[in-house]
């Protein structure tokens, strides 16, 4: 029996034009289908276009190419039957919980009495009973997000879209809300048949989804699709869960290495592409990197370390561990291979060294493997006074990155560079300089 899919994407593309008038391809030929009774997670690093895709499906943004079909109809504007939960439930502060939930129905022209009844039901379903007349500022973050869910569910959507709906909540609140939502869906206490949600949390994706679509960045495209058949309720401790975690980890780490070698080839052939120094860096501190290298040494068995196991030992979420291992890999302190970590000689030397020696090793690897560090150092070497204002680098980076991203990147490299003493930074004046110019 072949039924029409609820949602179908055909080669959806999106590009944005930056302030210089350059086109930036954010989504590249995204095609997939969503059947009824499916929960699908879109998993990928930040900047891979997940939110943009969700907004296109919700009819809030137009694609630059391709088509989105909801039940055979092209989506060009918000469609009845689809609703969306945002990361931060954007509630109206001057409206009560009840009024905030009702507002979704007003747009549909539903008479006031029915509106009220439906809103009360939705509030009840999502566990907000008793808070109908409260104002958003009187509620905790978790409760406010519940209101966001109630507002999305009150219109009885067949397809619910959610953009990182649990990421702003503390762990326990997120877990509660996730379980409540899953229960609603499993017990069919809501007409919502399918859920498509964005997350950057691997465990969250495995806990909730029947299928995970993994995104890679630059440009955002589908890298892999993984069906998940573990029965509900799922436990992060089960063997099946750990195996999937390993598998997805491997996919996410592999993509980075491939991307890197592709980037190298591209940089050689096309000069107008991102220069290597404008490549993203994960937001991690030197002390986190040092801490991980030290911990690895004592957890090494037969030359290898299992990533999820190490995360457990350090009481770190695997998602927090990922950016750390990514950068240690790029610095050639470790190698990631098939979900396992191998400490390279330089990594071992680093963890066994004293502080001065550590700085020395870190400086060597930073200059060798992180093009932005090398670039800054070269500019400072060239300048006769060996000084340069940070704006110089910010402007360069902003040719290829958003202002925010350029800022973030420079802040990270300044942090690392100062530790390595490859350059100094005057915080008050915003000046970078060489400490010992020679
Ligand atoms: P994700 O949700 O996966 O983190 P986004 O969809 O938010 O990714 O963004 C993907 C890329 O598109 C980013 O590089 C972002 O800067 C860019 N982008 C998103 N929205 C716009 C916009 N309105 N104008 C220009 N660039 C945008
Ligand atoms: Mg996003």
């Amino acid at each position: 029996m072949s039924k029409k899919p609820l949602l179908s994407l055909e080669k959806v593309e999106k590009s944005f034009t930056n302030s210089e008038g350059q086109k930036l391809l954010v989504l590249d030929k995204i095609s997939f289908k969503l059947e009824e009774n499916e929960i699908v997670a879109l998993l990928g690093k930040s900047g891979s276009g997940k939110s943009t895709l969700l907004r296109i499906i919700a009819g809030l943004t137009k694609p630059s190419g391709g088509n989105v079909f909801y039940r055979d109809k092209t989506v060009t504007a918000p469609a009845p039957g689809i609703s969306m939960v945002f990361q931060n439930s954007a509630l109206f502060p001057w409206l009560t919980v009840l009024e905030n939930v009702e507002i979704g129905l007003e747009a549909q022209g539903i008479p006031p009495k029915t509106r009220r009844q439906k809103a009360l039901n939705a509030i009840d379903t999502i566990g907000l009973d008793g808070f109908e007349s409260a104002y958003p500022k009187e509620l905790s973050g978790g409760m406010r997000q519940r209101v966001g869910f109630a507002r999305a569910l009150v219109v009885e959507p067949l397809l619910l879209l959610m953009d990182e709906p649990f990421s702003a909540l503390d762990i326990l609140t997120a877990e509660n809300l996730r379980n409540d939502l899953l229960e609603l869906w499993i017990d069919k206490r809501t007409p919502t048949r399918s859920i498509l949600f964005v997350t950057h949390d691997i465990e969250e994706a495995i806990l909730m989804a029947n299928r995970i679509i993994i995104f890679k960045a630059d440009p955002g495209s589908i890298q892999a699709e993984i069906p998940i058949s573990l029965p509900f309720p799922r436990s992060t401790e089960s063997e099946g869960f750990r195996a999937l975690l390993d598998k997805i980890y491997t996919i996410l780490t592999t993509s980075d290495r491939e991307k890197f070698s592709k980037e190298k080839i591209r940089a050689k052939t096309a000069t107008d592409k991102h220069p290597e120094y404008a490549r993203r860096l994960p937001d991690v501190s030197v002390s986190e990197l040092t801490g991980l290298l030290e911990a690895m040494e004592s957890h090494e068995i037969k030359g290898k370390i299992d990533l999820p196991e190490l995360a457990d030992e350090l009481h770190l979420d695997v998602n927090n561990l990922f950016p750390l291992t990514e950068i240690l890999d790029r610095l050639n302190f470790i190698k990631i291979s098939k979900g396992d970590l191998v400490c390279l000689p330089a990594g071992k030397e680093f963890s066994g060294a004293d502080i001065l020696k550590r700085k020395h090793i870190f400086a060597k690897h930073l200059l060798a493997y992180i093009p932005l560090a090398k670039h800054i150092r070269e500019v400072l070497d060239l300048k006769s006074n060996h000084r340069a204002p940070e704006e110089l680098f910010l402007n360069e980076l902003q040719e290829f990155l958003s202002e925010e991203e350029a800022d973030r990147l420079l802040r990270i490299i300044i942090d690392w560079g100062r530790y390595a003493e490859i350059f100094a930074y005057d915080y008050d004046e915003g000046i970078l300089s060489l400490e010992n110019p020679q």
Side-chain angles (χ1 to χ4, degrees), residues 241-289:
F241 192 100
R242 310 295 290 181
L244 274 165
L245 194 60
D246 250 352
K247 182 174 173 182
I248 294 170
Y249 226 93
T250 306
I251 294 174
L252 284 167
T253 46
T254 316
S255 79
D256 241 57
R257 189 130 355 93
E258 271 170 14
K259 198 185 96 199
F260 191 32
S261 48
K262 265 191 218 140
E263 248 172 44
K264 273 187 174 159
I265 296 162
R266 254 199 273 137
K268 282 202 186 95
T269 52
T271 45
D272 62 336
K273 282 271 153 57
H274 270 51
E276 290 214 44
Y277 65 73
R279 190 174 167 212
R280 277 171 205 277
L281 293 173
D283 207 341
V284 299
S285 67
V286 173
S287 58
E288 287 174 302
L289 292 176

Side-chain angles (χ1 to χ4, degrees), residues 46-47 49-52 87 163-164 198:
S46 107
K50 305 179 301 293
S51 293
T52 305
Q87 184 173 357
D163 193 356
E164 306 205 20
V198 166

Side-chain angles (χ1 to χ4, degrees), residues 58-273:
L60 300 170
T61 301
K62 290 213 177 357
S64 317
N67 280 302
V68 177
F69 297 101
Y70 170 66
R71 295 226 137 148
D72 274 357
K73 280 212 190 101
T74 313
V75 175
T76 50
I82 305 182
S83 71
M84 178 136 151
V85 177
F86 297 90
Q87 184 173 357
N88 293 301
S89 54
L91 303 179
F92 297 112
W94 61 89
L95 297 181
T96 63
V97 167
L98 182 61
E99 290 162 342
N100 263 295
V101 175
E102 263 189 65
I103 210 153
L105 295 167
E106 249 178 81
Q108 298 192 337
I110 292 170
K113 226 172 144 192
T114 323
R115 229 156 55 199
R116 179 124 314 181
Q117 199 45 55
K118 285 193 175 211
L120 286 170
N121 281 342
I123 287 170
D124 199 14
T125 309
I126 207 71
L128 283 167
D129 216 1
F131 290 90
E132 293 83 356
S133 52
Y135 286 91
K137 66 169 190 301
E138 300 169 52
L139 303 176
S140 65
M143 293 296 250
R144 277 202 294 271
Q145 194 63 349
R146 279 182 194 267
V147 182
F149 276 96
R151 191 164 64 185
L153 291 175
V154 75
V155 298
E156 303 182 340
L158 282 178
L159 172 60
L160 182 65
L161 306 172
M162 311 195 292
D163 193 356
E164 306 205 20
F166 311 106
S167 66
L169 307 174
D170 64 81
I171 296 174
L172 279 182
T173 311
E175 192 178 317
N176 262 326
L177 201 48
R178 250 194 324 253
N179 288 340
D180 286 356
L181 185 72
L182 266 179
E183 242 174 67
L184 273 183
W185 182 78
I186 291 166
D187 300 346
K188 297 201 156 70
R189 280 191 286 136
T190 143
T192 300
R193 283 335 317 145
S194 301
I195 300 177
L196 177 64
F197 75 104
V198 166
T199 181
H200 60 257
D201 185 327
I202 311 173
E203 292 197 356
E204 184 171 291
I206 306 177
L207 277 172
M208 292 192 71
N210 305 114
R211 183 155 55 108
I212 297 180
I213 297 180
I214 300 180
F215 259 55
K216 57 180 176 189
D218 300 320
S221 50
I222 296 179
Q223 183 185 9
E225 282 199 42
I226 298 177
I228 306 211
S229 51
L230 301 174
F232 292 108
R234 294 171 178 169
S235 156
T236 53
E237 301 303 323
S238 77
E239 220 165 274
F241 192 100
R242 310 295 290 181
L244 274 165
L245 194 60
D246 250 352
K247 182 174 173 182
I248 294 170
Y249 226 93
T250 306
I251 294 174
L252 284 167
T253 46
T254 316
S255 79
D256 241 57
R257 189 130 355 93
E258 271 170 14
K259 198 185 96 199
F260 191 32
S261 48
K262 265 191 218 140
E263 248 172 44
K264 273 187 174 159
I265 296 162
R266 254 199 273 137
K268 282 202 186 95
T269 52
T271 45
D272 62 336
K273 282 271 153 57

